[in-house]
Amino acid sequence: MTVYGVTGGSGALGRLAVRALLARGVAAHEVVALARTPGKAADLSALGVQVRAADYGDPQAQTAALAGVDRLLLVSSSEAGRRVAHHTNVIEAAEKTGVSRIVYTSMLNVDGSTNPLAGEHRDTEAILRAAAVPFVSLRNGWYTENYTDQLGAYLERGEIVGATGTGAISAATRQDYAEAAVVVLSQDGDEARTYELGGPAFTLAELAQVVHEVTGTPVVCRDLPAGEYVAALQSTGMGEDTARFVAALDASIAHGDLQTDSQDLAHVLGRSPTSLADAIQDAYARSRRE
């Protein structure tokens, strides 16, 4: 019997990965969802999944929670600035408890990326290379939901504002990334392999066009110089530091950091990733039901 563990089991990606394991036929009692607040994973407990308390910042809790786990999906911590410490806690606990394989959700093109989030992922990959546990790195691109979750605002304003220039984004849905992670977690023989994962690339101008086509509401892209974008974000009430961080993310896109020609995601999934149009259609349909 192989026992699978998923960190961040009550989070958006982790929960989908747990459910993807069940969909692949893994018995619920062979799945361990690690969660800071187990009560938030009550839906998984109801399915028979083992839900164990494990704060990323608590090394002892991580060690206890990983007891008996054979293969671990290390979903990256969401706390910028603390990710390396959090991931180190998990990796060291995995070494102590005899985990035989770690699959880590890293960032697309992380080696040379200018993205302000990339450094912590590079550092985590270095820690994994030095660890005693075989690992695979899944370098995920942006979530399509980063944009579809803003669909209502796009339609209300009639525009998508950014500072990405002609930079394109090889995004994919969380569901696609979760299914890919579970495939890699379940298979053998690709230790130390790196997958560059992303869907068909689109620019913000192309995003605006697809939103228009799907919803029938005219939406345009307004691309700004970085300084003007920071000011525009601040005008909405965003703090200066946060606005500069968001602008830096867009600058990274303009640099090409979140675009890839890799077909790794389609190869792992055994199908094409969810299209941008389908993702927008799903988000639009949900919004009309609410």
Side-chain angles (χ1 to χ4, degrees):
M1 180 182 75
T2 300
V3 176
Y4 298 88
V6 179
T7 70
S10 62
L13 183 62
R15 175 178 268 106
L16 288 173
V18 169
R19 290 184 174 273
L21 281 165
L22 301 180
R24 284 179 65 85
V26 177
H29 69 274
E30 296 172 359
V31 180
V32 176
L34 284 69
R36 176 181 298 172
T37 307
K40 293 183 178 179
D43 58 315
L44 301 179
S45 294
L47 296 174
V49 171
Q50 300 182 59
V51 178
R52 300 178 183 175
D55 190 311
Y56 282 105
D58 186 338
Q60 290 74 31
Q62 290 290 335
T63 300
L66 289 178
V69 170
D70 300 301
R71 299 189 175 200
L72 177 66
L73 175 60
L74 173 49
V75 177
S76 60
S77 167
S78 62
E79 295 187 48
R82 300 186 65 193
R83 287 191 178 97
V84 175
H86 285 178
H87 299 161
T88 298
N89 289 339
V90 178
I91 294 164
E92 290 180 349
E95 289 179 305
K96 292 176 183 176
T97 56
V99 170
S100 63
R101 179 185 184 87
I102 294 175
V103 174
Y104 171 61
T105 61
S106 186
M107 174 176 281
L108 188 66
N109 299 322
V110 73
D111 288 331
S113 179
T114 65
N115 192 294
L117 298 173
E120 291 183 293
H121 291 290
R122 281 194 295 267
D123 290 346
T124 298
E125 289 192 6
I127 293 165
L128 283 165
R129 284 192 292 271
V133 183
F135 79 98
V136 178
S137 183
L138 303 180
R139 293 180 173 176
N140 291 347
W142 246 212
Y143 297 133
T144 308
E145 287 87 347
N146 290 353
Y147 302 101
T148 57
D149 285 353
Q150 301 183 68
L151 182 60
Y154 297 158
L155 297 176
E156 181 179 348
R157 295 194 304 258
E159 66 177 8
I160 299 171
V161 181
T164 60
T166 58
I169 307 132
S170 298
T173 64
R174 284 192 181 92
Q175 182 66 41
D176 284 349
Y177 288 131
E179 290 182 17
V182 165
V183 170
V184 174
L185 188 67
S186 304
Q187 68 189 15
D188 297 314
D190 59 355
E191 280 75 10
R193 178 168 177 178
T194 295
Y195 292 88
E196 300 282 356
L197 302 180
F202 58 86
T203 64
L204 289 192
E206 290 166 339
L207 171 64
Q209 180 181 351
V210 176
V211 169
H212 181 189
E213 291 171 352
V214 169
T215 68
T217 301
V219 175
V220 299
C221 174
R222 183 159 63 98
D223 192 73
L224 300 174
E228 291 183 24
Y229 187 43
V230 170
L233 292 170
Q234 288 184 268
S235 72
T236 67
M238 187 178 291
E240 181 178 358
D241 288 346
T242 302
R244 291 190 181 281
F245 176 78
V246 172
L249 295 177
D250 270 24
S252 173
I253 293 171
H255 190 261
D257 294 333
L258 289 173
Q259 181 178 7
T260 182
D261 294 327
S262 168
Q263 296 300 305
D264 284 351
L265 183 57
H267 174 74
V268 171
L269 290 173
R271 60 171 174 80
S272 297
T274 304
S275 71
L276 178 62
D278 284 347
I280 291 172
Q281 181 62 63
D282 288 345
Y284 187 53
R286 287 195 305 272
S287 70
R288 290 169 65 85
R289 290 195 296 268
E290 293 174 354

